[in-house]
Amino acid sequence: MTEKTILRALKGEVLPTPPIWMMRQAGRYLPEYRATRAKAGDFLSLCYTPDLAAEVTLQPIRRYGFDAAILFADILLLPQALGPKLWFETGEGPRMETTTTMAAVQALKSKDLIHETLSPVYETVRILARELPKETTLIGFAGAPWTVATYMIAGRGSKDQGAAHDLKNNDRDTFAALIDVITDATIDYLSEQVKAGAEVVKLFDSWAGSLKGQDFTDFAVKPVARIIAELKARHPGLPVIAFPREAGNGYIGFAKRTHADCVALDNSVTPEWGAENVQVSGCVQGNLAPEHMVTGGEALVRETRRVVEAFRKGPHIFNLGHGITPEANPDNVALMIETVRNC
Ligand code: CP3
């Protein structure tokens, strides 16, 4: 059997047509997702009900034939499994009980206890490993420690991650202890996903761009490098995708520094820049602006071709620069895929 296209690209092979998947491909822009989510009642129940989480993971595969499926879950399930309460405010986003003192860090659950909460996620992975088409790669994921810490510290999303920067700058010991706890738990969490059948794992560092200089090295590079090293020791050959979103020049050398097999690029950098500065060290993923899934038309076709052309000479997985939004038109996704496959 020929190897799956995504796995080939992750090994550095240059394919005539890049394999495709999309961040948040299971999401609110799809009527079938909204129907299953309604059946689950709320977002967290959807994440923790394996049959329904597997169902929404499969929906975009059935509709579009993407080359990869990403486990349906959320980066905030892991911190929730460490103890803090988590809920979603309708129309606003996530809320968490905050962790801002050494006592609170020490009161987090031991990493051996996270699986009690997270076992439904592993069951979702097992269902998907059974039910996905033979050619579709199954991607597991977790948040990178810095991004997870920003939510644990602020108790919510924020534009500038101010609360996390405050703790980092003013109570370094507590901040570093929290990063260590998340890093250790993330290794075990992803390792269980791999044992359950994930073939690739991805680390989402959505707020990496707000770390500068030495902070970027200490908190966007080092914890990710530690997770990757340990996962590869436990699961030889496991491919890892890292997404230090909006890292800018931090993208340069990121693969070498962390030993990630692929670096995902957001759309604040041009594909030409990405090819010249990042793809030179290996596979890249990205980076069409998600807005095109809302606006469609000629601009979508032109920019999709531009991304494919820019990355043509090296290993590339076609994706958006960030998640598809609820306002996207499902027809535009079909047009993007058709354009990539006819380039
Ligand atoms: O990509 C996928 O399809 C896999 C599933 C996935 C979700 N969230 C589902 C989800 C993944 C990989 C994530 C990652 C995630 N979650 C990140 C990192 C990536 C990024 O987008 O920057 C972050 C920061 C979160 C935390 C989170 N989850 C926020 C801030 C929100 C609310 C924002 C929103 O869009 O409402 C969520 C909710 C969430 N996670 C939804 C989905 C499909 C929407 C929930 C719904 O159905 O109402």
Side-chain angles (χ1 to χ4, degrees), residues 14-253:
V14 184
L15 300 164
T17 300
I20 316 177
W21 68 281
M22 211 172 55
M23 283 183 265
R24 295 270 172 107
Q25 62 190 17
R28 286 163 291 182
Y29 74 106
L30 288 179
E32 59 268 37
Y33 170 86
R34 295 195 299 270
T36 309
R37 189 182 179 291
K39 200 158 118 189
D42 61 84
F43 174 66
L44 284 174
S45 304
L46 178 54
C47 291
Y48 287 120
T49 309
D51 286 338
L52 298 182
E55 167 58 22
V56 295
T57 308
L58 290 164
Q59 286 168 350
I61 308 303
R62 286 189 207 116
R63 190 190 261 258
Y64 299 113
F66 283 114
D67 296 290
I70 184 160
L71 162 70
F72 189 85
D74 197 85
I75 65 163
L76 301 178
L77 304 186
L78 175 69
Q80 180 186 33
L82 287 167
K85 289 193 174 58
L86 169 70
W87 66 103
F88 281 77
E89 291 288 346
T90 320
E92 289 190 41
R95 295 288 182 272
M96 274 209 110
E97 230 174 339
T98 60
T99 305
T100 56
T101 62
M102 192 59 95
V105 173
Q106 285 163 351
L108 293 170
K109 284 190 198 160
S110 133
K111 66 184 177 121
D112 300 327
L113 299 176
I114 60 174
H115 309 301
E116 285 172 11
T117 305
L118 296 169
S119 60
V121 176
Y122 312 142
E123 180 56 23
T124 305
V125 175
R126 280 191 287 272
I127 296 171
L128 289 168
R130 252 188 347 252
E131 297 201 353
L132 276 169
K134 301 258 171 300
E135 64 276 12
T136 315
T137 301
L138 178 54
I139 303 175
F141 74 91
W146 159 249
T147 288
V148 171
T150 65
Y151 289 94
M152 293 181 79
I153 294 165
R156 57 191 299 164
S158 64
K159 276 210 177 71
D160 58 359
Q161 298 79 57
H165 283 288
D166 279 350
L167 192 71
K168 165 172 65 62
N169 298 337
N170 300 319
D171 186 354
R172 197 71 160 192
D173 289 350
T174 298
F175 179 77
L178 178 59
I179 291 284
D180 276 346
V181 169
I182 299 167
T183 302
D184 287 333
T186 302
I187 292 165
D188 286 1
Y189 179 41
L190 288 174
S191 188
E192 289 305 310
Q193 292 184 27
V194 173
K195 287 188 218 159
E199 300 169 279
V200 173
V201 296
K202 177 169 176 185
L203 287 162
F204 285 86
D205 212 350
S206 306
W207 304 118
S210 79
L211 290 169
K212 304 295 176 197
Q214 189 62 38
D215 279 349
F216 186 83
T217 298
D218 289 344
F219 303 118
V221 175
K222 286 184 184 167
V224 167
R226 183 150 85 79
I227 292 167
I228 294 176
E230 182 59 30
L231 284 174
K232 284 178 181 280
R234 292 189 197 178
H235 309 281
L238 174 73
V240 181
I241 303 171
F243 184 31
R245 193 170 74 90
E246 294 190 355
N249 286 333
Y251 278 127
I252 301 172

Side-chain angles (χ1 to χ4, degrees), residues 1-23:
M1 197 186 95
T2 12
E3 203 178 5
K4 300 179 185 188
T5 50
I6 298 247
L7 299 177
R8 288 167 64 189
L10 288 167
K11 283 183 179 160
E13 201 176 319
V14 184
L15 300 164
T17 300
I20 316 177
W21 68 281
M22 211 172 55
M23 283 183 265

